[in-house]
């Protein structure tokens, strides 16, 4: 503070402005309502009244009706989606440690961090390397209003010391045994509670923002396929085709690829997940491409098979067989049908 007073004052100013302009107006009504209901033990009574209407209408459990009501009153911050689960499991907060769940909840990508969700909001704990970016994103209102970035410098577990006497809900499917043991040691006066999938049920129903990201990712992927048709020719290698697909996606707005790009030709095109190599494309052979763009963490997935030159009768028969199967599967897709049944 003494060495860099200007930086400290700028940070303090930005933090106060963020609270005044964004966090306070957005979350204050929600915080007051939650605190009032908790203090008066009215949540159970309120959900008992609302559940006959909201449960069948939105397909949510009885405790989840409180989160739905909070969303109607105060927006519907992502953190509120998990509030009902805390109530249902008897937890004080939820701790998310995997990158995918943290990005879904906060809209911020970082390879090292955690998110702590309770009834007042979301603490986004990030490595100091990411804090400036997280702070700027919050100031620009790129993060949900209930997300508050915080840096940690003494290790992630040290930053979680405030959870010592709380009941903490964690995702058992995304937690190593070692981390679970270290968390138990940290929670000397609290308790570690496990859930199979903390964010999964909420992530299944996409918000408008999420749908827009998926559509943008697919538009980029569609454009990449149209582009590659004019690029491929005999003599190009599988690796070059894969690289061109990825370059086009990046150049047109993707922040990465959904998975490792596949571009395989000839006999390798029959492999379910082939690996591109230094193999030159040849005339009158299949080329299979499996790729997808990623936009703000949301992915697309496309598989296309083309022929360079002329297809033989056998190749046409194979292609038509796969196409017929795809069209029948698409016709079978509808609500309440299991993916295994479509397959």
């Amino acid at each position: 503070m003494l060495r860099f007073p200007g930086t400290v004052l700028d940070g303090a100013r930005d933090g106060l402005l963020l609270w005044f302009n964004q966090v306070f107006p957005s979350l204050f009504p929600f915080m007051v309502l939650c605190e009032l209901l908790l203090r008066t033990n009215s949540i159970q009574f309120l959900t008992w009244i609302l559940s006959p209407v909201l449960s069948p209408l939105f397909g949510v459990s009885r405790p989840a009706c409180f989160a739905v009501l909070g969303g109607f009153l105060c927006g519907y911050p992502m953190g509120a989606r998990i509030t009902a689960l805390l109530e249902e499991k008897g937890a004080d907060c939820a701790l998310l440690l995997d990158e995918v769940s943290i990005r879904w909840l906060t809209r911020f990508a970082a390879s090292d961090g955690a998110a702590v969700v309770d009834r007042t909001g979301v603490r986004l704990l990030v490595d100091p390397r990411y804090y400036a970016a997280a702070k700027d994103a919050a100031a620009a209102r790129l993060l949900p209003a209930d997300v508050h970035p915080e840096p940690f410098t003494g290790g992630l577990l040290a930053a979680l010391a405030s959870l010592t006497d709380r009941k903490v809900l964690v995702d058992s499917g995304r937690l190593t045994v070692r981390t679970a043991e270290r968390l138990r040691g940290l929670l000397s006066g609290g308790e570690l509670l496990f859930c199979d999938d903390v964010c999964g049920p909420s992530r299944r129903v996409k918000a408008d923002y999420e749908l827009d990201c998926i559509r943008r990712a697919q538009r980029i992927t569609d454009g990449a396929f149209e582009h590659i048709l004019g690029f491929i020719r005999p003599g190009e290698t599988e690796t070059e085709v894969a690289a061109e697909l990825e370059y086009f996606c990046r150049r047109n707005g993707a922040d990465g690829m959904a998975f490792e790009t596949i571009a395989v030709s000839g006999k390798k095109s029959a492999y379910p997940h082939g690996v591109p190599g230094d193999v030159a494309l040849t005339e009158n052979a299949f080329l299979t491409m499996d790729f997808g763009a990623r936009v703000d963490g949301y992915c697309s997935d496309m598989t296309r098979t083309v022929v360079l030159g002329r297809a033989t009768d056998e190749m046409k028969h194979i292609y038509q067989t796969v196409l017929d199967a795809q069209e029948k599967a698409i016709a079978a897709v509808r609500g309440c049908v299991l993916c295994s049944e479509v397959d």
Side-chain angles (χ1 to χ4, degrees):
M1 292 178 66
L2 294 177
R3 290 186 61 188
F4 305 104
T7 302
V8 173
L9 291 175
D10 287 344
R13 180 198 61 198
D14 292 344
L16 289 172
L17 288 175
L18 174 65
W19 269 95
F20 182 77
N21 294 326
Q22 181 175 352
V23 177
F24 184 79
S26 301
L27 287 184
F28 184 69
F30 188 70
M31 294 168 63
V32 170
L33 175 64
C34 288
E35 187 67 19
L36 179 63
L37 293 174
L38 287 170
R39 294 289 183 182
T40 59
N41 199 27
S42 302
I43 291 180
Q44 296 294 334
F45 177 71
L46 189 61
T47 54
W48 177 74
I49 295 176
L50 296 172
S51 59
V53 177
L54 298 182
S55 290
L57 185 61
F58 294 98
V60 297
S61 63
R62 178 172 167 179
C65 293
F66 171 67
V68 174
L69 176 64
F72 286 148
L73 293 176
C74 312
Y76 195 63
M78 289 294 196
R81 296 191 181 194
I82 303 178
T83 302
L85 186 62
L86 300 180
E87 194 70 27
E88 185 178 324
K89 300 293 184 180
D92 297 314
C93 64
L95 173 62
L96 306 177
L97 296 170
D98 66 285
E99 188 175 345
V100 173
S101 296
I102 294 171
R103 185 166 187 174
W104 168 79
L105 186 67
T106 67
R107 298 188 189 175
F108 187 78
S111 61
D112 190 9
V116 180
V117 188
D118 61 19
R119 293 168 181 83
T120 63
V122 181
R123 291 173 60 204
L124 173 60
L125 302 172
V126 294
D127 182 295
R129 295 172 298 170
Y130 299 106
Y131 177 63
K135 184 183 71 170
D136 290 346
R141 302 192 179 188
L142 299 177
L143 308 184
D146 59 338
V147 174
H148 319 302
E150 300 177 21
F152 64 84
T153 55
L156 181 57
L157 288 181
L160 299 174
S162 60
L163 306 181
T164 300
D165 58 352
R166 306 181 76 183
K167 292 182 179 180
V168 181
L169 184 68
V170 294
D171 194 329
S172 57
R174 299 178 180 269
L175 194 69
T176 65
V177 174
R178 182 185 179 190
T179 302
E181 290 175 347
R182 295 177 70 183
L183 285 173
R184 281 199 180 97
L186 177 70
L187 302 175
S188 56
E191 183 180 358
L192 197 62
L193 306 176
F194 293 95
C195 178
D196 286 339
D197 196 352
V198 173
C199 297
S202 296
R203 288 176 57 192
R204 291 186 191 117
V205 180
K206 303 300 184 186
D208 289 341
Y209 159 79
E210 296 174 284
L211 293 174
D212 180 61
C213 289
I214 294 171
R215 293 188 184 103
R216 287 163 56 200
Q218 187 55 51
R219 281 197 295 268
I220 294 171
T221 304
D222 289 339
F225 177 64
E226 292 297 325
H227 168 75
I228 209 67
L229 292 179
F231 175 85
I232 54 177
R233 56 187 176 274
E236 299 285 355
T237 67
E238 296 171 347
T239 302
E240 289 170 334
V241 172
E244 185 67 19
L245 285 168
E246 295 182 2
Y247 178 58
F248 180 93
C249 290
R250 285 278 196 173
R251 196 173 66 238
N252 286 274
D255 55 57
M257 302 304 291
F259 46 87
E260 291 290 332
T261 299
I262 297 172
V264 288
S265 60
K267 292 182 179 180
K268 289 173 64 179
S269 64
Y271 296 168
H273 285 89
V275 177
D278 191 25
V279 178
L281 307 184
T282 59
E283 287 274 10
N284 308 326
F286 276 137
L287 169 63
T288 296
M289 296 166 286
D290 188 356
F291 62 102
R294 186 181 69 230
V295 173
D296 209 3
Y298 293 85
C299 302
S300 62
D301 186 349
M302 173 186 283
T303 303
R304 293 291 183 269
T305 298
V306 299
V307 176
L308 279 72
R310 299 178 62 87
T312 65
D313 290 341
E314 182 182 9
M315 294 167 74
K316 292 178 181 178
H317 173 70
I318 294 172
Y319 191 95
Q320 190 62 46
T321 300
V322 176
L323 180 60
D324 291 342
Q326 181 195 44
E327 290 176 344
K328 289 181 179 179
I330 292 174
V333 173
R334 57 185 180 277
C336 301
V337 173
L338 297 176
C339 292
S340 59
E341 295 176 8
V342 175
D343 190 53

